[in-house]
Amino acid sequence: MPQFADVILPLPLQGAFTYALPPELAAQPQVGSRVIVPFGSRKFYTAIVVRLHDETPPYSTKPISEVLDEKPIILPEQLRLWKWLAEYYLCTLGDVFKAALPSGLKLESESTILLNEGWEAESPLSPNEEKIWRALGKKSEQTLLSLQKETGIKSILPAVKNLLEKGAVRMKEEIRRTYKPKTVTCVRLAEAYHDETRLHEALDSLRKSPKQEALLTFFLGLEAPIEKQRLLKEANCSDAILRELCQKGILETYAKPVERAKSVHQEEGASPLTPVQQKAMESIVEQWKTHNVCLLHGVTSSGKTEIYIHLMQKAIEEGKQVLFMLPEIVLTAQLTERLRRVFGSRMGVYHSRYPDNERVELYQKMLSDKPYDIVVGVRSSLFLPFRNLGLLIIDEEHETSFKQQDPAPRYHARNAALVLAKQAGAKALLGSATPSLESYHNALIGKYGLVTLKTRFAGMQLPNIEVIDVQEMRRKKLMSSFFSPQLLGRIRKALEQKQQVILFQNRRGYAPVLECKACGWTPRCQSCDVSLTVHRGFRQMVCHYCGKTYNIPQMCPNCESTELSSRGYGTERIEEQLQAMLPEARIARMDLDTTRSRQNYEQILHDFEDGKTDILIGTQMVTKGLDFDRVSLVGILSADTMLAQPDFRSYERAFQLMEQVAGRAGRKGSVGHVVLQTRDAGNAIVRQVVNHDYEGMYAEQAEERELFRYPPFCRVVFIYLKHRDEKVVERLSADFAKLLRQVFGERVLGPDTPPVGRVQLMHIRKLILKMELTAPMSAVRERLLALQEQVLQMPGYHSAQVYYDVD
């Protein structure tokens, strides 16, 4: 029997930690199961066992406190993927662990502060210590969070630490179990009455209580298990009668765990494929014979979803599981309704807007004997336990939402999913009307299979795109609002014809900048180097980097002028102005501010689909694969904000966003129309969007990328360095760049200050490392981490942060 276990913790720490297996543990953990372990002086965490052994480490080990699982909840295939993610994306296994499991499966201890009743002060307490002491006098046991709320002390830890050192208070740690299974009250026959003779005696004894006799007789005619509410309703009796039977010990109630996810029965089969779709599907299957990954490049509204459905049916008929990944939560609402009608309760949905308890239950169901055949989810769904994965579909594969930004692991879900498919021996399908340059390049060089769909479903034409030169319109004084006369005219015409309109502006809030007309002052975030965005609905200014809010000033603090005006426009301001111009129109807004809950975005989409909304104004949420029958007009209000981003991918992303949002028009019925407003009507990307010329955009961007050595012709690693002191981070970045150049030579660019050089009081510098595609990332990782350790050991750099963003 092994004596030690190596575990990983949900903390950004390298490697595994060894703990002793005490003999008194009732259950022996298995590799992949959860255990509770002490870490540090007081904390307890959930850890995952990755190895069991008898090798005594050269240091004293703490014992495992508790084994949480009888069976592993992390499969060997999952651990293999975790290790690949940590290695490729230059982060720790703890980072991956923290991202991979639902919160309800990660128990953590919570610090509770207790009052020492008999303690007497030898010296006066500070004001903050006095506040904490008084708060604990009202309630002698409180968590740090509740103490902070009650006392109003923002930095409470120093005062608590002083009280601990004085012996005034003590601290204890309690494990928080956040997951609670959902239960329903059921009724069963008490065990004593399973004997037929005793049961007949009970029925005889109830002759003088006809209602109780009737309820017991009715109960015996039903199949167990029987929910209490159903029994009372169908037997048409009161709770008091059931209670009397329970008091007599004949019946008893108990709590039965049930799934929170609603069970949906299959309603209809998949729609038959058109000859074009059938040919595309057969081509995909043919491509899979020689390629594990196939790219389906189909124009918007070409019927890619129906092809997906038929491929999923084929996979589950062969006894395989399917993972269908989408980039945005907002897409799941519309698509899952369609898929549920075909697959019913064989399908589960997994994303972060679902309550954590539901995600825990779906995770547990995937480990059960009857897992879902199909899971529809966003990027975190690739961390689910699949025992028999056969098909992986990534829809809208080009979307930036597949890339995790903060915190680590900063992984690309599309790329990680392809590794998962390879490890599981599954086939993968990438689908998009505007594929990423990387995926299209891989298809052209033969790494992936390629299947194209050039025609829309039912012979519908692609929308006509009208370009409006905003600069010229303003010069001629023909445009006084955010809407050109052409766009306004077409909106009115669409409303008259009972058609719907989508307006796209890739900026939320009321206005991105508030400015003093007298001196030019603009309010900026105190913690970040960015101007504050005005949110009129919240009556606040918000930093879109750290989330900090500020009151809107009534006068300029610089010159005391009251002439403060909003510059630029976001979705909130567009909604306000359009409502003033078209008071009869029913307008809805879809952005991060209006879709904070699952119910919010589902309601917005349902209302638009049911025709309760005439105009939908939104950010990039409205560009992502939504399908509405009555949308005849799409307005792109400002193409220039997308083209002006300081990013080598900005032109590619601008084309993708504009082409995708244009594709929402004219999906059923007449040909759709798109009005594209821009200050740079001669830009090549604008011309390519007008002509729906993806191949032209790819050829131009690929030539430029190859010339300047950017993906897909090399691998790019961004190296970020952070410190509170700008001078320190300046020196650190120069020293790190010097060390990197000694190893990687001219592959290193920088250091440079990113467009936003300070976030949450941390000053940032950036280095770029360009590596050949043939370079092994494991070797690059070893060199980088060794150099990082070397530079952070230099005087003055120990508190700096270094992290990496790959691809």
Side-chain angles (χ1 to χ4, degrees), residues 327-328 379 396-405 412 620 624 649 653 656:
E328 281 276 1
R379 61 175 179 245
E396 309 293 349
E397 66 83 27
H398 66 278
E399 274 291 344
T400 55
S401 307
F402 278 126
K403 179 72 168 71
Q404 163 74 6
Q405 299 299 335
H412 200 301
Q620 57 182 337
K624 301 176 192 294
R649 287 192 174 96
R653 287 177 178 163
Q656 288 165 342

PDB file of all heavy atoms in Angstrom, residues 327-328 379 396-405 412 620 624 649 653 656:
ATOM      1  N   PRO A 327     -18.219  29.886 -29.436  1.00  0.00           N
ATOM      2  CA  PRO A 327     -17.358  30.907 -28.834  1.00  0.00           C
ATOM      3  C   PRO A 327     -18.034  31.744 -27.758  1.00  0.00           C
ATOM      4  O   PRO A 327     -17.384  32.261 -26.880  1.00  0.00           O
ATOM      5  CB  PRO A 327     -16.971  31.788 -30.028  1.00  0.00           C
ATOM      6  CG  PRO A 327     -18.108  31.634 -30.982  1.00  0.00           C
ATOM      7  CD  PRO A 327     -18.610  30.240 -30.809  1.00  0.00           C
ATOM      8  N   GLU A 328     -19.354  31.908 -27.845  1.00  0.00           N
ATOM      9  CA  GLU A 328     -20.049  32.837 -26.959  1.00  0.00           C
ATOM     10  C   GLU A 328     -21.246  32.175 -26.310  1.00  0.00           C
ATOM     11  O   GLU A 328     -21.967  31.397 -26.936  1.00  0.00           O
ATOM     12  CB  GLU A 328     -20.552  34.064 -27.752  1.00  0.00           C
ATOM     13  CG  GLU A 328     -19.473  35.087 -28.039  1.00  0.00           C
ATOM     14  CD  GLU A 328     -19.245  36.064 -26.907  1.00  0.00           C
ATOM     15  OE1 GLU A 328     -19.920  35.941 -25.872  1.00  0.00           O
ATOM     16  OE2 GLU A 328     -18.384  36.933 -27.055  1.00  0.00           O
ATOM     17  N   ARG A 379     -15.676  27.627 -24.170  1.00  0.00           N
ATOM     18  CA  ARG A 379     -14.310  27.092 -24.129  1.00  0.00           C
ATOM     19  C   ARG A 379     -14.045  26.184 -22.925  1.00  0.00           C
ATOM     20  O   ARG A 379     -13.299  25.225 -23.030  1.00  0.00           O
ATOM     21  CB  ARG A 379     -13.282  28.219 -24.207  1.00  0.00           C
ATOM     22  CG  ARG A 379     -13.339  29.228 -23.093  1.00  0.00           C
ATOM     23  CD  ARG A 379     -12.204  30.242 -23.183  1.00  0.00           C
ATOM     24  NE  ARG A 379     -12.317  31.188 -22.100  1.00  0.00           N
ATOM     25  CZ  ARG A 379     -12.569  32.485 -22.265  1.00  0.00           C
ATOM     26  NH1 ARG A 379     -12.721  32.998 -23.464  1.00  0.00           N
ATOM     27  NH2 ARG A 379     -12.671  33.283 -21.218  1.00  0.00           N
ATOM     28  N   GLU A 396     -17.749  28.665 -35.601  1.00  0.00           N
ATOM     29  CA  GLU A 396     -17.182  30.035 -35.586  1.00  0.00           C
ATOM     30  C   GLU A 396     -15.758  29.982 -35.031  1.00  0.00           C
ATOM     31  O   GLU A 396     -15.387  30.726 -34.123  1.00  0.00           O
ATOM     32  CB  GLU A 396     -18.056  30.986 -34.744  1.00  0.00           C
ATOM     33  CG  GLU A 396     -19.536  30.976 -35.080  1.00  0.00           C
ATOM     34  CD  GLU A 396     -19.840  31.533 -36.461  1.00  0.00           C
ATOM     35  OE1 GLU A 396     -18.949  32.111 -37.096  1.00  0.00           O
ATOM     36  OE2 GLU A 396     -20.983  31.366 -36.925  1.00  0.00           O
ATOM     37  N   GLU A 397     -14.958  29.094 -35.603  1.00  0.00           N
ATOM     38  CA  GLU A 397     -13.619  28.808 -35.044  1.00  0.00           C
ATOM     39  C   GLU A 397     -12.702  30.019 -35.034  1.00  0.00           C
ATOM     40  O   GLU A 397     -11.706  30.044 -34.312  1.00  0.00           O
ATOM     41  CB  GLU A 397     -12.976  27.651 -35.798  1.00  0.00           C
ATOM     42  CG  GLU A 397     -12.635  27.910 -37.262  1.00  0.00           C
ATOM     43  CD  GLU A 397     -11.320  28.623 -37.467  1.00  0.00           C
ATOM     44  OE1 GLU A 397     -10.439  28.485 -36.620  1.00  0.00           O
ATOM     45  OE2 GLU A 397     -11.192  29.333 -38.474  1.00  0.00           O
ATOM     46  N   HIS A 398     -13.015  31.036 -35.821  1.00  0.00           N
ATOM     47  CA  HIS A 398     -12.165  32.223 -35.911  1.00  0.00           C
ATOM     48  C   HIS A 398     -12.322  33.156 -34.716  1.00  0.00           C
ATOM     49  O   HIS A 398     -11.523  34.090 -34.541  1.00  0.00           O
ATOM     50  CB  HIS A 398     -12.535  33.022 -37.172  1.00  0.00           C
ATOM     51  CG  HIS A 398     -13.930  33.587 -37.095  1.00  0.00           C
ATOM     52  ND1 HIS A 398     -15.050  32.845 -37.400  1.00  0.00           N
ATOM     53  CD2 HIS A 398     -14.395  34.806 -36.728  1.00  0.00           C
ATOM     54  CE1 HIS A 398     -16.128  33.582 -37.235  1.00  0.00           C
ATOM     55  NE2 HIS A 398     -15.757  34.778 -36.814  1.00  0.00           N
ATOM     56  N   GLU A 399     -13.353  32.951 -33.895  1.00  0.00           N
ATOM     57  CA  GLU A 399     -13.725  33.938 -32.881  1.00  0.00           C
ATOM     58  C   GLU A 399     -12.652  34.148 -31.814  1.00  0.00           C
ATOM     59  O   GLU A 399     -12.080  33.185 -31.299  1.00  0.00           O
ATOM     60  CB  GLU A 399     -15.031  33.516 -32.189  1.00  0.00           C
ATOM     61  CG  GLU A 399     -16.276  33.956 -32.919  1.00  0.00           C
ATOM     62  CD  GLU A 399     -16.460  35.457 -32.875  1.00  0.00           C
ATOM     63  OE1 GLU A 399     -15.823  36.134 -32.049  1.00  0.00           O
ATOM     64  OE2 GLU A 399     -17.253  35.961 -33.691  1.00  0.00           O
ATOM     65  N   THR A 400     -12.426  35.409 -31.469  1.00  0.00           N
ATOM     66  CA  THR A 400     -11.438  35.747 -30.430  1.00  0.00           C
ATOM     67  C   THR A 400     -11.892  35.282 -29.051  1.00  0.00           C
ATOM     68  O   THR A 400     -11.067  35.145 -28.141  1.00  0.00           O
ATOM     69  CB  THR A 400     -11.196  37.269 -30.391  1.00  0.00           C
ATOM     70  OG1 THR A 400     -12.458  37.930 -30.214  1.00  0.00           O
ATOM     71  CG2 THR A 400     -10.572  37.754 -31.677  1.00  0.00           C
ATOM     72  N   SER A 401     -13.198  35.040 -28.861  1.00  0.00           N
ATOM     73  CA  SER A 401     -13.704  34.589 -27.554  1.00  0.00           C
ATOM     74  C   SER A 401     -13.153  33.230 -27.168  1.00  0.00           C
ATOM     75  O   SER A 401     -13.202  32.851 -25.995  1.00  0.00           O
ATOM     76  CB  SER A 401     -15.234  34.508 -27.584  1.00  0.00           C
ATOM     77  OG  SER A 401     -15.786  35.719 -28.018  1.00  0.00           O
ATOM     78  N   PHE A 402     -12.638  32.464 -28.121  1.00  0.00           N
ATOM     79  CA  PHE A 402     -12.035  31.176 -27.795  1.00  0.00           C
ATOM     80  C   PHE A 402     -10.701  31.351 -27.072  1.00  0.00           C
ATOM     81  O   PHE A 402     -10.177  30.403 -26.500  1.00  0.00           O
ATOM     82  CB  PHE A 402     -11.821  30.336 -29.059  1.00  0.00           C
ATOM     83  CG  PHE A 402     -13.051  29.607 -29.524  1.00  0.00           C
ATOM     84  CD1 PHE A 402     -13.519  29.753 -30.817  1.00  0.00           C
ATOM     85  CD2 PHE A 402     -13.744  28.762 -28.674  1.00  0.00           C
ATOM     86  CE1 PHE A 402     -14.647  29.077 -31.255  1.00  0.00           C
ATOM     87  CE2 PHE A 402     -14.878  28.072 -29.098  1.00  0.00           C
ATOM     88  CZ  PHE A 402     -15.330  28.235 -30.385  1.00  0.00           C
ATOM     89  N   LYS A 403     -10.133  32.565 -27.114  1.00  0.00           N
ATOM     90  CA  LYS A 403      -8.828  32.814 -26.471  1.00  0.00           C
ATOM     91  C   LYS A 403      -9.049  33.378 -25.076  1.00  0.00           C
ATOM     92  O   LYS A 403      -9.660  34.432 -24.920  1.00  0.00           O
ATOM     93  CB  LYS A 403      -8.018  33.798 -27.322  1.00  0.00           C
ATOM     94  CG  LYS A 403      -6.642  34.141 -26.730  1.00  0.00           C
ATOM     95  CD  LYS A 403      -5.675  32.970 -26.845  1.00  0.00           C
ATOM     96  CE  LYS A 403      -4.249  33.374 -26.530  1.00  0.00           C
ATOM     97  NZ  LYS A 403      -4.038  33.660 -25.107  1.00  0.00           N
ATOM     98  N   GLN A 404      -8.575  32.669 -24.080  1.00  0.00           N
ATOM     99  CA  GLN A 404      -8.635  33.143 -22.697  1.00  0.00           C
ATOM    100  C   GLN A 404      -7.553  34.201 -22.491  1.00  0.00           C
ATOM    101  O   GLN A 404      -6.402  33.983 -22.833  1.00  0.00           O
ATOM    102  CB  GLN A 404      -8.426  31.960 -21.750  1.00  0.00           C
ATOM    103  CG  GLN A 404      -8.052  32.304 -20.325  1.00  0.00           C
ATOM    104  CD  GLN A 404      -9.216  32.851 -19.519  1.00  0.00           C
ATOM    105  OE1 GLN A 404     -10.340  32.873 -19.981  1.00  0.00           O
ATOM    106  NE2 GLN A 404      -8.945  33.292 -18.322  1.00  0.00           N
ATOM    107  N   GLN A 405      -7.939  35.353 -21.928  1.00  0.00           N
ATOM    108  CA  GLN A 405      -6.970  36.434 -21.708  1.00  0.00           C
ATOM    109  C   GLN A 405      -6.428  36.415 -20.287  1.00  0.00           C
ATOM    110  O   GLN A 405      -5.245  36.246 -20.072  1.00  0.00           O
ATOM    111  CB  GLN A 405      -7.625  37.794 -22.012  1.00  0.00           C
ATOM    112  CG  GLN A 405      -8.098  37.929 -23.451  1.00  0.00           C
ATOM    113  CD  GLN A 405      -6.976  37.823 -24.485  1.00  0.00           C
ATOM    114  OE1 GLN A 405      -5.826  38.094 -24.177  1.00  0.00           O
ATOM    115  NE2 GLN A 405      -7.321  37.416 -25.684  1.00  0.00           N
ATOM    116  N   HIS A 412      -5.826  28.947 -25.980  1.00  0.00           N
ATOM    117  CA  HIS A 412      -6.771  29.094 -27.086  1.00  0.00           C
ATOM    118  C   HIS A 412      -7.573  27.802 -27.147  1.00  0.00           C
ATOM    119  O   HIS A 412      -7.024  26.734 -27.404  1.00  0.00           O
ATOM    120  CB  HIS A 412      -6.037  29.343 -28.408  1.00  0.00           C
ATOM    121  CG  HIS A 412      -6.931  29.955 -29.445  1.00  0.00           C
ATOM    122  ND1 HIS A 412      -8.081  29.348 -29.878  1.00  0.00           N
ATOM    123  CD2 HIS A 412      -6.857  31.137 -30.114  1.00  0.00           C
ATOM    124  CE1 HIS A 412      -8.677  30.116 -30.782  1.00  0.00           C
ATOM    125  NE2 HIS A 412      -7.963  31.210 -30.929  1.00  0.00           N
ATOM    126  N   GLN A 620     -20.147  43.149 -30.540  1.00  0.00           N
ATOM    127  CA  GLN A 620     -19.841  41.977 -31.367  1.00  0.00           C
ATOM    128  C   GLN A 620     -20.704  40.764 -31.026  1.00  0.00           C
ATOM    129  O   GLN A 620     -20.727  39.791 -31.764  1.00  0.00           O
ATOM    130  CB  GLN A 620     -18.369  41.625 -31.257  1.00  0.00           C
ATOM    131  CG  GLN A 620     -17.888  41.352 -29.854  1.00  0.00           C
ATOM    132  CD  GLN A 620     -16.403  41.049 -29.816  1.00  0.00           C
ATOM    133  OE1 GLN A 620     -15.830  40.637 -30.813  1.00  0.00           O
ATOM    134  NE2 GLN A 620     -15.776  41.269 -28.684  1.00  0.00           N
ATOM    135  N   LYS A 624     -22.336  37.012 -34.020  1.00  0.00           N
ATOM    136  CA  LYS A 624     -21.904  35.624 -33.858  1.00  0.00           C
ATOM    137  C   LYS A 624     -22.977  34.595 -34.190  1.00  0.00           C
ATOM    138  O   LYS A 624     -23.652  34.090 -33.304  1.00  0.00           O
ATOM    139  CB  LYS A 624     -21.405  35.413 -32.440  1.00  0.00           C
ATOM    140  CG  LYS A 624     -20.243  36.333 -32.088  1.00  0.00           C
ATOM    141  CD  LYS A 624     -19.846  36.157 -30.653  1.00  0.00           C
ATOM    142  CE  LYS A 624     -18.895  37.235 -30.189  1.00  0.00           C
ATOM    143  NZ  LYS A 624     -17.615  37.236 -30.812  1.00  0.00           N
ATOM    144  N   ARG A 649      -3.394  41.524 -36.025  1.00  0.00           N
ATOM    145  CA  ARG A 649      -4.599  40.830 -36.482  1.00  0.00           C
ATOM    146  C   ARG A 649      -5.778  41.778 -36.710  1.00  0.00           C
ATOM    147  O   ARG A 649      -6.878  41.324 -36.997  1.00  0.00           O
ATOM    148  CB  ARG A 649      -5.023  39.780 -35.454  1.00  0.00           C
ATOM    149  CG  ARG A 649      -4.127  38.546 -35.405  1.00  0.00           C
ATOM    150  CD  ARG A 649      -4.795  37.440 -34.576  1.00  0.00           C
ATOM    151  NE  ARG A 649      -4.032  36.203 -34.627  1.00  0.00           N
ATOM    152  CZ  ARG A 649      -3.148  35.826 -33.717  1.00  0.00           C
ATOM    153  NH1 ARG A 649      -2.908  36.601 -32.681  1.00  0.00           N
ATOM    154  NH2 ARG A 649      -2.502  34.683 -33.838  1.00  0.00           N
ATOM    155  N   ARG A 653      -9.491  40.699 -38.147  1.00  0.00           N
ATOM    156  CA  ARG A 653     -10.643  40.703 -37.242  1.00  0.00           C
ATOM    157  C   ARG A 653     -11.717  41.674 -37.712  1.00  0.00           C
ATOM    158  O   ARG A 653     -12.914  41.397 -37.568  1.00  0.00           O
ATOM    159  CB  ARG A 653     -10.179  41.045 -35.822  1.00  0.00           C
ATOM    160  CG  ARG A 653      -9.432  39.870 -35.201  1.00  0.00           C
ATOM    161  CD  ARG A 653      -8.889  40.193 -33.833  1.00  0.00           C
ATOM    162  NE  ARG A 653      -8.232  39.027 -33.249  1.00  0.00           N
ATOM    163  CZ  ARG A 653      -7.394  39.079 -32.233  1.00  0.00           C
ATOM    164  NH1 ARG A 653      -7.088  40.243 -31.686  1.00  0.00           N
ATOM    165  NH2 ARG A 653      -6.848  37.973 -31.752  1.00  0.00           N
ATOM    166  N   GLN A 656     -13.585  39.932 -40.421  1.00  0.00           N
ATOM    167  CA  GLN A 656     -14.436  38.874 -39.863  1.00  0.00           C
ATOM    168  C   GLN A 656     -15.685  39.453 -39.203  1.00  0.00           C
ATOM    169  O   GLN A 656     -16.801  38.972 -39.435  1.00  0.00           O
ATOM    170  CB  GLN A 656     -13.628  38.049 -38.855  1.00  0.00           C
ATOM    171  CG  GLN A 656     -12.590  37.158 -39.504  1.00  0.00           C
ATOM    172  CD  GLN A 656     -11.556  36.633 -38.526  1.00  0.00           C
ATOM    173  OE1 GLN A 656     -11.391  37.177 -37.427  1.00  0.00           O
ATOM    174  NE2 GLN A 656     -10.838  35.587 -38.911  1.00  0.00           N
TER     175      GLN A 656
END
